[in-house]
């Protein structure tokens, strides 16, 4: 949205209006922090020290327009604050990230509907997971995962605290990959307000991923920040351009019904539209805004979900002090 010459406020106004019409009520935006170097975002050095403050005026004005236009259409924005930066950081690097977080949260704290993803699919640069196949009795694997978790927790909490220090009511999360062999998303939830995971694959596998990441017993909701059709994804990666609408519709509806039934707060589809600048055919609309077959089906599902609500059964048991 910041880089393409085909993206501008007129396009965004149309997109947000169309999203609202089709029941899409939030947009998660990633690959944001590289535009701290607006002239050459492709040269980002994956270091917190590249997060220049104040940011370039172009980046600020574009982001202002995105926030304002989304708000006009009642579309919430989930802004990913960091990208591609490993989370094993020294104190001065953590401080640089925290300052970047605080700048943007302060800029938009008066606008409703914003919430924050600390980093899109965070990864370790040096501390690798032990991986699947290790036994529960393997003390080295356990200690290694604990070390990973502690390191990750320190990074996550510094960023979450930076957001909450400026805007205590802002909702913060971290969007994890779907892998089940890393401990950080199970053991390190202090500081974030809800859990968030991404998923590509069979809807049946989704259930175990959501259940493992669910931390509602800690008062933190569960959400699906990114998902898509793996069959369609692989087909397009092979250069097949036909849209497998029947499979996509079935998969998208199954995923959301599972998530809804398991108590999920929201889901995000990868992604809203195809790009004009490159071959990236994973959108729910074509590059010119024409909806693909999956989009009307998705709209119908959202309308059905809005008609549902929790049933409150009043208790007939009374406590007398």
């Amino acid at each position: 949205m910041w880089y393409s010459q085909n993206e501008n406020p007129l396009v965004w106004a149309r997109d947000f209006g169309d999203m609202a019409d089709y029941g899409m009520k939030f947009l998660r935006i990633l690959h944001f922090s590289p535009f701290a170097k607006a002239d050459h975002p492709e040269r980002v050095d994956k270091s917190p020290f590249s997060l220049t403050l104040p940011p370039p005026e172009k980046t600020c004005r574009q982001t202002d327009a995105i926030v304002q236009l989304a708000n006009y259409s009642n579309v919430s924005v989930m802004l990913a604050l960091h990208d591609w930066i490993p989370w094993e950081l020294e104190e001065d690097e953590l401080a640089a990230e925290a300052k970047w977080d605080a700048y943007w949260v302060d800029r938009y704290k008066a606008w409703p509907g914003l919430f924050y993803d600390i980093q899109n699919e965070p990864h370790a640069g040096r501390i690798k997971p032990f991986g699947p196949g290790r036994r529960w009795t393997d003390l080295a694997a356990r200690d290694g995962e604990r070390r990973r978790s502690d390191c990750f927790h320190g990074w996550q909490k510094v960023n979450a605290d930076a957001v909450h220090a400026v805007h205590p009511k802002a909702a913060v999360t971290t969007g994890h990959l779907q892998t089940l062999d890393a401990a950080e998303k199970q053991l390190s939830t202090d500081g974030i307000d809800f859990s968030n995971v991404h998923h590509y694959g069979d809807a049946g596998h989704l259930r175990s991923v959501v259940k493992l990441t669910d931390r509602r017993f800690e008062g933190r909701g569960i959400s699906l920040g990114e998902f898509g059709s793996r069959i369609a994804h692989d087909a397009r990666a092979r250069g097949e351009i036909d849209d497998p609408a029947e499979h996509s519709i079935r998969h998208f509806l199954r995923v959301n019904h599972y998530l809804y039934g398991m108590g999920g707060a929201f889901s995000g589809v990868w992604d809203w539209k195809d790009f004009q600048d490159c071959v990236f055919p994973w959108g729910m609309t074509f590059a010119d805004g024409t909806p693909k077959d999956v989009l009307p089906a998705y709209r119908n599902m959202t309308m059905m979900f809005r008609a549902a609500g929790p049933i409150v059964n009043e208790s007939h048991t009374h406590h007398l002090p």
Side-chain angles (χ1 to χ4, degrees):
M1 296 180 73
W2 292 273
Y3 190 68
S4 170
Q5 297 300 312
N6 292 304
E7 296 289 321
N8 58 66
L10 289 175
V11 173
W12 300 334
R14 182 201 69 186
D15 285 343
F16 286 129
D18 289 346
M19 288 177 66
D21 289 344
Y22 280 96
M24 312 284 280
K25 300 303 292 182
F26 97 99
L27 178 68
R28 174 175 165 269
I29 311 176
L30 57 156
H31 304 333
F32 167 59
S33 63
F35 291 88
K37 295 183 176 179
D39 293 333
H40 298 287
E42 72 280 3
R43 299 179 188 174
V44 63
D45 56 11
K46 301 181 182 180
S47 165
F49 299 130
S50 68
L51 302 174
T52 307
L53 289 175
E57 181 183 2
K58 178 182 177 182
T59 303
C60 292
R61 295 184 66 174
Q62 287 175 309
T63 313
D64 290 350
I66 291 168
V67 170
Q68 294 171 26
L69 291 167
N71 191 264
Y72 180 80
S73 294
N74 291 319
V75 175
S76 296
V77 171
M78 183 179 182
L79 184 62
L81 293 165
H82 303 289
D83 275 284
W84 306 321
I85 301 174
W87 44 254
E88 311 104 316
L89 302 177
E90 302 295 335
E91 289 189 6
D92 55 346
E93 295 173 311
L94 289 171
E97 288 203 344
K99 288 179 181 178
W100 173 264
D101 301 341
Y103 177 89
W104 292 105
V105 176
D106 183 66
R107 191 177 185 92
Y108 301 123
K109 65 183 179 182
W111 287 86
L114 264 80
F115 49 116
Y116 298 93
D117 181 358
I118 294 173
Q119 181 156 317
N120 172 55
E121 298 176 351
H123 66 283
R126 297 182 295 272
I127 307 175
K128 301 300 182 182
F130 275 78
R134 304 299 290 259
R135 300 177 63 87
W136 286 103
T137 54
D138 188 332
L139 297 183
R142 186 197 66 180
D143 291 346
E145 288 299 301
R146 280 287 183 185
R147 179 171 178 255
R148 279 174 53 85
S149 179
D150 290 345
C151 184
F152 178 88
H153 173 262
W155 166 83
Q156 179 175 258
K157 196 169 188 308
V158 165
N159 280 275
D161 287 351
V163 173
H164 290 141
V166 177
H167 188 1
K169 294 185 177 180
V172 185
T173 192
T174 303
H176 287 282
L177 288 166
Q178 69 195 50
T179 51
L180 302 179
D181 59 332
E184 58 264 21
K185 56 179 173 281
Q186 284 77 46
L187 300 179
S188 307
T189 56
D190 186 26
I192 62 173
D193 299 291
F194 61 97
S195 296
N196 188 264
V197 70
H198 303 171
H199 187 270
Y200 290 88
D202 183 73
H205 180 257
L206 169 75
R207 293 175 294 180
S208 60
V209 174
V210 170
K211 190 63 178 176
L212 187 64
T213 316
D214 189 352
R215 285 297 177 269
R216 285 177 295 163
F217 60 86
E218 296 178 345
R220 297 177 175 89
I222 178 65
S223 59
L224 185 63
E226 180 180 320
F227 82 95
S229 171
R230 186 60 177 265
I231 291 178
H233 185 286
D234 292 345
R236 290 161 187 163
R238 293 192 299 268
E240 299 173 17
I241 60 174
D242 291 336
D243 181 46
E246 182 179 351
H247 173 81
S248 293
I249 291 172
R250 183 169 61 250
H251 179 75
F252 282 22
L253 298 188
R254 284 188 69 197
V255 164
N256 280 280
H257 278 78
Y258 275 137
L259 184 68
Y260 187 82
M262 296 180 73
F266 64 85
S267 66
V269 177
W270 182 265
D271 62 340
W272 168 246
K273 66 179 182 180
D274 296 349
F275 297 155
Q276 292 187 5
D277 306 76
C278 61
V279 179
F280 195 87
W282 285 279
M284 299 183 80
T285 77
F286 294 100
D288 63 357
T290 303
K292 298 180 183 180
D293 290 341
V294 69
L295 189 54
Y298 211 87
R299 176 200 58 200
N300 296 341
M301 179 192 69
T302 64
M303 293 177 65
M304 182 191 72
F305 283 170
R306 290 180 188 183
I311 298 175
V312 179
N313 294 317
E314 294 185 8
S315 174
H316 297 289
T317 301
H318 300 278
H319 173 71
L320 298 177

